[in-house]
Amino acid sequence: MAKNIANDANYIEAARHSLSHVLAQAVCELFDGVQLGIGPAIEDGLYYDFDLHHRITEDDFAAIEAKMNEILKSDTVFEKRVVENPLDFFANTPYKLELVKELVAAGEEITVYESNGFVDLCAGPHVENMRELRNWGFKISSIAGAYWRGNSDNPMLQRVYVHAFPSRKELKEYYAFLEEAKKRDHRTLGNQLDLFFFDETAPGMPYWMPKGMKIYNKLLEFSRKVHEAHGYQEVVGPQLNHSSLWVTSGHWEHYDDNMFKVQIDENNTYALKPMNCPNAMILFKKKNRSYRDLPLRFSELSHLHRNEASGAMHGLMRVQTFRQDDAHIFCTQEQIASEMNGIMDIMDFIYGIFGLKYTAVLSTRPESFLGDIETWNEAEAVLKNVLDTRFGAGEYIVDEGGGAFYGPKIDIKVYDALKREWQLCTIQLDYQLAGNFELEYTDSDGKRKAPVVIHRAVFGSLDRFIGVITEHFAARFPFWLAPVQVGIVPVHKDHERYAHDIREELVQQGFKSTLDTSDGTMGNKIKSYRNELVPYIIIIGDKEVADGTISLRVRTGTQINGIPLSSFIDACKIMEQAYKIDLIENFDAD
RNA sequence: GCUGGUAUAGCUCAGUCGGUAGAGCGCUCCGUUGGUAACGGAGAGGCUCCCGAGUUCGAAUCUCGGUACCAGCACCA
């Protein structure tokens, strides 16, 4: 059985799950009083959750692996059995009993698998015989706490993670992948390339270095351009607002834990804004609005602050202060669909330029919500319809209960170098806030009506977006985004004057270049530009000075000698405007 | 916040048994005047080895508390 279907995904999952039984047996044999949680197969292996008095640490890994290998030597079969009196059978295993009770209530048959004397509640499937796992490559990767059934009100179990692949070679390849992914890690690259850093006094609040700021500003510029073209008007509200605003918006009640608060005196507390919405409401209310003003699109790029749980921070991906390419659209019920599509158009355009692969997620009503259920259902139906049209029914994920407290949302998720998922774009329909702030506009019939509010961000957090694209491009940013676009290296001091002229021309044309006139050797200068991942290196020596040309070294490795600067600048202009174009490697010297 | 781990030069890291700190890269200076990924040589950089207590004649090292970061869980409005 093993050979011919060894690469079948179902077989691999069954094998990993079988290995989780082996892990569980090993832990049960090595330690006393072990209670079992669950032990499923995952993307790169498996885990099993245990409740035991002994604290498992890295020092225990070798012993557990040795025990697992010992168990694998047995030639036993995974035997499936139906349990007659499940509640009695599992009476002394509280976690299993909890699962069994639910299964029984749902009318399910209760089965166990027995292998080598180890019995575990399990619906299967498994490999047939233990010997099929003998050539697998596996290694305990880590130990971590995990709440029973993913609920923080429940006890925390000890989760042992195991990397497991059908062969030792594949395991080795997986570790090679992890090594590569580590090199792409935006935290490593950000440090190496002087883009940003963090200080202990401001956890989760990035310091942006000059080169990181070049990227940041370029994205802001790009965002402004796109949104202006789509009829958005930029505004900016205060960083701090009195608590009364947050009480009105509902944040004081629903988002209390995540706000940074500043107490001014006994009676007055302000909070740094975690979101722009309430101030957008104030901006709308400032004037009497007419149906002729709708849809009204206010964009805002200001800084937000959110007080996150200490363990939640993660480089630029999860921070405590960041800028959002936020916007609030005020519109009528009839305008929702076209506005939603307009937003999706912007999203397609922007994500297409970066070549990011993404997944759409519809998040529905959470447990803690404002408003009535009918309005929620209506809003969810509108979003679903947009997604069905654009992605096709079933071509997106539905996250039941994942919505914001004020409305359902569409999120766009992308993946980092380690394939971890991060949310960027978000589009949220809000039927509550307009009511809380008593927003109104005068309709064509002269009646006062409440507008619908759409909150949306395309990059999401600019900071997170830079983290994501840093990993996506492995810091080989496209020409238009590169913090330094051209590095100039004179072969000799005598060539510096001409090199200065070249740089002057590039500056005049609006390109970001640096000229290295330090004492180092030319080889060193080229090396340092290469390490910096600069898209183009211009080399100036006798030949170039004599011909009035430049020699170019492209980041991709191509070398082109003796071309006119004007040809290169023409190419730069194309790359600066047509964002999707990769580095140009051919220049006609016409 | 929870579980496990980590914290030493600007960066990446070594530091055994507790005896007041090392390497490579980078930086500075001197020499080298060059044609495409690391030219020699010298030097500075740690006075608080994340912070605070404790044990000890003596702590980077051991113990306790804190902080930050890493992996995961929960959270992600």
Side-chain angles (χ1 to χ4, degrees), chain A residues 163-306:
Chain A
H163 290 144
F165 291 87
S167 66
R168 287 174 186 90
K169 181 166 167 275
E170 281 161 276
L171 179 68
K172 221 174 138 186
E173 282 164 3
Y174 183 68
Y175 283 115
F177 158 76
L178 290 182
E179 276 302 304
E180 283 308 304
K182 210 175 156 191
K183 285 185 205 157
R184 291 177 89 99
D185 191 312
H186 75 283
R187 292 166 297 190
T188 310
L189 291 169
N191 192 29
Q192 252 171 41
L193 303 178
D194 288 330
L195 302 181
F196 63 88
F197 66 92
F198 293 90
D199 185 77
E200 204 172 318
T201 59
M205 307 192 198
Y207 286 71
W208 286 94
M209 304 270 275
K211 280 192 224 159
M213 218 44 224
K214 291 276 187 202
I215 299 174
Y216 214 122
N217 282 331
K218 195 72 195 180
L219 290 178
L220 289 173
E221 179 194 319
F222 178 49
S223 176
R224 286 190 166 109
K225 209 159 123 185
V226 172
H227 285 95
E228 189 152 340
H230 281 82
Y232 287 74
Q233 303 177 78
E234 187 173 347
V235 296
V236 61
Q239 281 302 129
L240 279 166
N241 287 87
H242 193 271
S243 58
S244 57
L245 179 80
W246 306 110
V247 169
T248 305
S249 67
H251 288 83
W252 210 251
E253 187 185 347
H254 292 269
Y255 204 64
D256 184 50
D257 291 345
N258 285 336
M259 281 196 281
F260 285 108
K261 293 173 184 169
V262 184
Q263 188 165 7
I264 306 295
D265 58 44
E266 283 174 19
N267 303 314
N268 295 289
T269 301
Y270 283 67
L272 276 161
K273 63 178 169 190
M275 300 171 207
N276 292 311
C277 338
N279 283 325
M281 303 303 125
I282 290 177
L283 280 154
F284 181 90
K285 268 188 101 163
K286 176 62 185 161
K287 289 176 69 175
N288 281 324
R289 305 286 179 182
S290 145
Y291 73 99
R292 293 175 199 275
D293 297 326
L294 308 186
L296 182 64
R297 308 184 187 99
F298 281 150
S299 61
E300 175 153 10
L301 292 158
S302 43
H303 296 260
L304 303 180
H305 288 81
R306 299 180 185 183

Side-chain angles (χ1 to χ4, degrees), chain A residues 245-411:
Chain A
L245 179 80
W246 306 110
V247 169
T248 305
S249 67
H251 288 83
W252 210 251
E253 187 185 347
H254 292 269
Y255 204 64
D256 184 50
D257 291 345
N258 285 336
M259 281 196 281
F260 285 108
K261 293 173 184 169
V262 184
Q263 188 165 7
I264 306 295
D265 58 44
E266 283 174 19
N267 303 314
N268 295 289
T269 301
Y270 283 67
L272 276 161
K273 63 178 169 190
M275 300 171 207
N276 292 311
C277 338
N279 283 325
M281 303 303 125
I282 290 177
L283 280 154
F284 181 90
K285 268 188 101 163
K286 176 62 185 161
K287 289 176 69 175
N288 281 324
R289 305 286 179 182
S290 145
Y291 73 99
R292 293 175 199 275
D293 297 326
L294 308 186
L296 182 64
R297 308 184 187 99
F298 281 150
S299 61
E300 175 153 10
L301 292 158
S302 43
H303 296 260
L304 303 180
H305 288 81
R306 299 180 185 183
N307 189 5
E308 302 285 2
S310 59
M313 254 74 79
H314 185 104
L316 292 177
M317 304 299 201
R318 187 78 178 271
V319 288
Q320 295 201 111
T321 180
F322 57 96
R323 291 173 83 172
Q324 224 178 27
D325 60 331
D326 203 4
H328 292 86
I329 300 174
F330 303 86
C331 66
T332 64
Q333 181 72 23
E334 296 72 41
Q335 290 167 334
I336 292 175
S338 72
E339 286 307 305
M340 296 297 292
N341 278 309
I343 298 165
M344 297 292 251
D345 286 344
I346 297 176
M347 192 204 81
D348 282 345
F349 174 67
I350 289 181
Y351 282 55
I353 278 168
F354 291 93
L356 290 171
K357 297 231 182 325
Y358 56 83
T359 311
V361 182
L362 171 65
S363 299
T364 60
R365 195 182 63 247
E367 278 178 32
S368 166
F369 68 96
L370 288 178
D372 57 279
I373 289 184
E374 275 160 42
T375 328
W376 270 87
N377 291 342
E378 193 180 331
E380 284 172 12
V382 171
L383 296 192
K384 196 167 177 304
N385 190 34
V386 170
L387 285 172
D388 284 345
T389 316
R390 294 194 79 108
F391 292 89
E395 295 300 305
Y396 55 90
I397 295 166
V398 178
D399 178 8
E400 297 290 350
F405 65 81
Y406 47 74
K409 54 179 186 166
I410 293 173
D411 291 327

Side-chain angles (χ1 to χ4, degrees), chain A residues 132-166:
Chain A
E132 291 169 44
L133 300 171
R134 261 181 229 161
N135 291 323
W136 271 59
F138 71 90
K139 191 168 171 39
I140 297 175
S141 62
S142 57
I143 174 92
Y147 297 107
W148 169 239
R149 311 200 83 179
N151 185 336
S152 56
D153 295 333
N154 289 338
M156 179 167 264
L157 308 182
Q158 301 189 58
R159 175 171 297 177
V160 177
Y161 281 94
V162 177
H163 290 144
F165 291 87

Side-chain angles (χ1 to χ4, degrees), chain A residues 328-503:
Chain A
H328 292 86
I329 300 174
F330 303 86
C331 66
T332 64
Q333 181 72 23
E334 296 72 41
Q335 290 167 334
I336 292 175
S338 72
E339 286 307 305
M340 296 297 292
N341 278 309
I343 298 165
M344 297 292 251
D345 286 344
I346 297 176
M347 192 204 81
D348 282 345
F349 174 67
I350 289 181
Y351 282 55
I353 278 168
F354 291 93
L356 290 171
K357 297 231 182 325
Y358 56 83
T359 311
V361 182
L362 171 65
S363 299
T364 60
R365 195 182 63 247
E367 278 178 32
S368 166
F369 68 96
L370 288 178
D372 57 279
I373 289 184
E374 275 160 42
T375 328
W376 270 87
N377 291 342
E378 193 180 331
E380 284 172 12
V382 171
L383 296 192
K384 196 167 177 304
N385 190 34
V386 170
L387 285 172
D388 284 345
T389 316
R390 294 194 79 108
F391 292 89
E395 295 300 305
Y396 55 90
I397 295 166
V398 178
D399 178 8
E400 297 290 350
F405 65 81
Y406 47 74
K409 54 179 186 166
I410 293 173
D411 291 327
I412 296 298
K413 305 208 167 185
V414 299
Y415 307 89
D416 70 10
L418 278 172
K419 297 176 185 169
R420 285 177 296 214
E421 195 177 83
W422 297 100
Q423 179 196 313
L424 291 175
C425 173
T426 182
I427 308 169
Q428 309 178 355
L429 210 43
D430 188 336
Y431 284 97
Q432 310 305 328
L433 219 43
N436 290 359
F437 282 88
E438 298 170 322
L439 300 193
E440 286 181 332
Y441 67 94
T442 309
D443 206 351
S444 53
D445 57 9
K447 289 191 176 140
R448 307 285 283 169
K449 291 180 185 167
V452 177
V453 177
I454 301 172
H455 313 256
R456 41 111 292 166
V458 178
F459 287 132
S461 148
L462 267 291
D463 302 67
R464 178 180 288 181
F465 192 82
I466 293 174
V468 167
I469 60 173
T470 300
E471 301 199 358
H472 174 68
F473 292 123
R476 282 151 189 82
F477 295 104
F479 183 82
W480 67 280
L481 258 187
V484 176
Q485 296 171 307
V486 185
I488 307 168
V489 176
V491 174
H492 185 271
K493 280 252 183 290
D494 298 344
H495 308 124
E496 280 181 14
R497 190 184 180 82
Y498 181 64
H500 270 294
D501 293 345
I502 299 278
R503 178 171 141 74

